[in-house]
């Protein structure tokens, strides 16, 4: 029953929200964010703990304000998720052009002929950044977790494919997504992966804002296996539009360097997040210190 209700809610979002006037939609999502801040449920509470690491000198009132701003930013992301299909992709990419830096890093990576792996945190609106990449470089490849119910997963699959993305299921596909991504890189393609949280045995330990956590090994491992350039993109909200900063690429010489490369990604994420912490949408537990003893032991 709960899964059907969630699916129905998302269906209503794509059906109703995109038909609302922009001002009304903005006000409704902002009001929802403010209500969530006042109710202070488990998500906002964890967000506060996470942001306290990002801005360690913040007092209680500053943290309260930052949590509210972050929830508003997160609400904006979801409002845009439901409304982006209303705007032609080429228009979105054109609006972003003056707020995109580091494009030469992608160009240089592709000139090497071994593809580019772009890793990103949960900042801003990464779908907008994806639209810009797709419009300027053709289709790129990413991976999506298989949500429940299946109908909800299919909605997100259709949504992101409509934006010009090739989306591979993390599990349950006909072939391994890793194998497909290796093939795309051999074809000098682009891979984009959200990679700032992986609290599983597959994640590798890193230090992030001075504390231990785990992050996905996939981006660095792909770069090591194929010779692809590895870089970070910072997704930005710029006024009522978007921007992106593509940072200098690095090469991962071998699998022996994957750990160090993943730590370098974490350091780059931390620098960007510190500059605009309200636009980092991390309402889940991230650091190992926040996990139960049993959960930490299970990670090994």
């Amino acid at each position: 029953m709960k899964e059907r209700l969630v699916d129905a809610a998302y269906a209503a979002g794509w059906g109703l929200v995109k038909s609302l006037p922009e001002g009304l939609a903005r006000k409704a999502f902002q009001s929802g964010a403010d209500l969530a801040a006042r109710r202070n449920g488990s998500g906002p509470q964890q967000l506060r703990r996470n942001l306290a690491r990002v801005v360690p000198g913040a007092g209680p009132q500053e943290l309260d304000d930052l949590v509210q701003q972050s929830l508003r930013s997160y609400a904006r992301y979801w409002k845009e998720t439901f409304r982006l299909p209303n705007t032609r992709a080429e228009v979105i990419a054109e609006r972003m052009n003056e707020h995109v830096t580091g494009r030469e890093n992608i160009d240089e990576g592709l000139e090497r002929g071994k593809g580019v792996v772009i890793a990103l945190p949960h900042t801003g609106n990464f779908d907008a950044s994806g639209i810009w990449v797709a419009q300027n470089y053709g289709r790129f490849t990413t991976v999506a977790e298989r949500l429940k119910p299946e109908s909800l997963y299919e909605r997100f699959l259709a949504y992101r494919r409509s934006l010009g993305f090739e989306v591979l299921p993390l599990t349950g596909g006909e072939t391994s997504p890793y194998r497909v991504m290796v093939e795309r890189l051999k074809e000098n393609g682009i891979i984009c992966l959200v990679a700032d949280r992986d609290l599983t045995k597959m994640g590798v330990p890193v230090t992030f804002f001075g504390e231990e956590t785990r992050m996905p090994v996939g981006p660095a491992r792909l770069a090591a296996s194929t010779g692809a350039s590895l870089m970070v993109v910072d997704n930005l909200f710029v006024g009522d539009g978007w921007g992106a900063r593509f940072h200098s690429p690095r090469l991962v010489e071998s699998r022996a360097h994957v750990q160090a490369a993943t730590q370098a990604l974490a350091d780059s994420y931390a620098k960007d997040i510190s500059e605009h912490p309200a636009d980092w949408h991390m309402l889940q537990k991230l650091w190992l210190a926040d996990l139960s003893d049993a959960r930490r032991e299970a990670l090994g």
Side-chain angles (χ1 to χ4, degrees):
M1 174 63 75
K2 181 179 179 181
E3 291 180 353
R4 290 200 298 271
L5 290 174
V6 170
D7 183 42
Y10 279 99
W14 269 297
L16 174 63
V17 176
K18 68 180 182 181
S19 65
L20 293 175
E22 170 60 26
L24 181 58
R26 184 187 306 116
K27 184 175 181 180
F29 276 78
Q30 182 173 300
S31 296
D34 293 346
L35 178 60
R38 290 194 299 272
R39 289 182 171 176
N40 195 31
S42 60
Q45 289 178 33
Q46 185 61 51
L47 175 63
R48 183 187 181 92
R49 287 191 287 270
N50 293 343
L51 290 172
R53 271 106 165 188
V54 178
V55 190
Q61 185 58 56
E62 184 178 352
L63 272 178
D64 286 345
D65 293 343
L66 187 56
V67 167
Q68 182 181 42
Q69 293 168 24
S70 186
L71 290 171
R72 286 184 174 186
S73 177
Y74 190 42
R76 170 179 172 171
Y77 165 76
W78 281 109
K79 185 258 295 180
E80 291 177 353
T81 293
F82 295 131
R83 293 177 64 83
L84 277 180
N86 273 8
T87 306
R88 298 201 321 274
E90 58 268 28
V91 173
I92 293 171
E94 286 179 13
R95 288 180 59 190
M96 287 186 64
N97 277 334
E98 64 180 299
H99 302 296
V100 173
T101 60
R103 176 174 183 163
E104 67 277 6
N105 294 322
I106 303 176
D107 295 338
E108 290 171 8
L110 294 176
E111 285 171 7
R112 293 180 60 250
K114 295 187 177 182
V116 172
V117 179
I118 302 175
L120 53 142
H122 288 81
T123 53
N125 189 329
F126 44 80
D127 288 331
S129 297
I131 289 171
W132 185 88
V133 171
Q135 286 295 304
N136 283 276
Y137 295 96
R139 187 177 66 174
F140 68 88
T141 304
T142 188
V143 175
E145 180 181 358
R146 189 176 288 277
L147 303 172
K148 292 183 179 180
E150 184 73 11
S151 55
L152 178 59
Y153 169 73
E154 292 293 338
R155 291 186 195 280
F156 272 98
L157 198 64
Y159 163 63
R160 291 204 162 97
R161 285 176 173 169
S162 75
L163 302 179
F165 310 172
E166 179 187 27
V167 185
L168 307 175
L170 180 61
T171 58
E174 294 182 0
T175 187
S176 161
Y178 185 83
R179 183 179 302 174
V180 175
M181 288 188 288
V182 167
E183 289 302 315
R184 297 294 181 268
L185 292 172
K186 288 180 178 179
E187 298 164 356
N188 202 28
I190 297 176
I191 305 295
C192 295
L193 298 171
V194 182
D196 57 346
R197 181 178 184 269
D198 184 5
L199 295 180
T200 71
K201 288 186 176 181
M202 298 297 292
V204 295
V206 297
T207 300
F208 191 51
F209 289 102
E211 291 189 39
E212 187 178 0
T213 185
R214 289 176 177 257
M215 289 189 179
V217 71
R221 184 182 171 198
L222 281 166
S225 298
T226 64
S229 299
L230 174 65
M231 70 183 69
V232 167
V233 62
D234 184 25
N235 313 292
L236 305 170
F237 284 135
V238 183
D240 61 354
W242 314 273
R245 299 187 295 190
F246 295 91
H247 295 309
S248 298
R250 61 181 294 134
L251 301 180
V252 186
E253 296 179 3
S254 70
R255 291 205 175 188
H257 297 85
V258 164
Q259 171 74 42
T262 305
Q263 180 63 62
L265 293 180
D267 294 341
S268 186
Y269 299 155
K271 183 178 184 299
D272 289 336
I273 291 167
S274 294
E275 293 180 14
H276 49 103
D279 292 331
W280 185 44
H281 309 142
M282 184 59 67
L283 280 71
Q284 300 82 21
K285 293 180 180 180
L286 177 66
W287 281 274
L288 301 187
D290 287 348
L291 303 180
S292 66
D293 291 341
R295 180 75 186 282
R296 285 197 296 271
E297 290 176 6
L299 292 176

